[in-house]
Amino acid sequence: YSGNKHELQKTLNNLTQQYHTLQSANSVMKEMLRNKSRELDDLKRQKELHSSNREQNRCYGETKVLDCIQLTGKYVKGYWFCSGIKCYFIMDNKGWSGCKQTCQDCSLSLLKIDDDDEL
């Protein structure tokens, strides 16, 4: 009986040690899962922020007067026409060279239309 009891005690000690090892590993895994959940939440917030910023930068058929005073010190009369993410600034009563100079002054690029389909 004492030999059997000793073997059972040894088995119980081994199982107890395995149990504590598994508990420890489980705690580590829980902490890793919490960290990954935090990382995922952070990534979701960053994605929402990025998406929000991208949406704010998009134009939706808005018409705006160009404010180029900070760059040139001059007020430029004309209008933005936006479609999707592409925006165009339209100036009336200016020749090609005047439009080109205004675009340069305001750090804009001058649109060049090459064919009737694009026009």
Side-chain angles (χ1 to χ4, degrees):
Y1 170 77
S2 74
N4 195 12
K5 182 179 176 185
H6 179 70
E7 285 298 317
L8 288 174
Q9 187 62 42
K10 200 170 161 184
T11 302
L12 180 60
N13 289 342
N14 286 339
L15 289 173
T16 302
Q17 186 178 4
Q18 287 176 2
Y19 171 76
H20 289 298
T21 301
L22 288 173
Q23 267 190 324
S24 178
N26 188 32
S27 295
V28 170
M29 294 299 274
K30 281 182 181 179
E31 185 61 29
M32 288 173 61
L33 182 58
R34 275 192 294 273
N35 289 340
K36 289 295 178 189
S37 292
R38 286 185 200 119
E39 286 177 28
L40 179 60
D41 290 342
D42 289 344
L43 286 172
K44 284 179 182 177
R45 280 191 290 277
Q46 287 175 4
K47 181 180 176 187
E48 288 170 3
L49 181 62
H50 180 72
S51 178
S52 172
N53 287 343
R54 188 172 28 182
E55 288 298 316
Q56 289 173 359
N57 292 334
R58 283 186 175 218
C59 299
Y60 293 99
E62 299 173 10
T63 301
K64 303 175 186 175
V65 174
L66 177 63
D67 181 9
C68 200
I69 292 174
Q70 296 131 344
L71 295 171
T72 64
K74 298 184 256 177
Y75 174 77
V76 179
K77 186 170 180 178
Y79 297 93
W80 283 107
F81 173 74
C82 300
S83 177
I85 60 172
K86 293 185 178 184
C87 294
Y88 306 93
F89 183 69
I90 301 166
M91 292 177 276
D92 293 331
N93 301 325
K94 276 201 178 190
W96 187 89
S97 60
C99 290
K100 181 180 177 185
Q101 186 61 50
T102 300
C103 287
Q104 288 174 347
D105 292 343
C106 295
S107 298
L108 301 170
S109 58
L110 187 63
L111 175 66
K112 182 179 178 187
I113 298 174
D114 295 320
D115 58 47
D116 289 338
D117 289 337
E118 189 175 2
L119 179 59

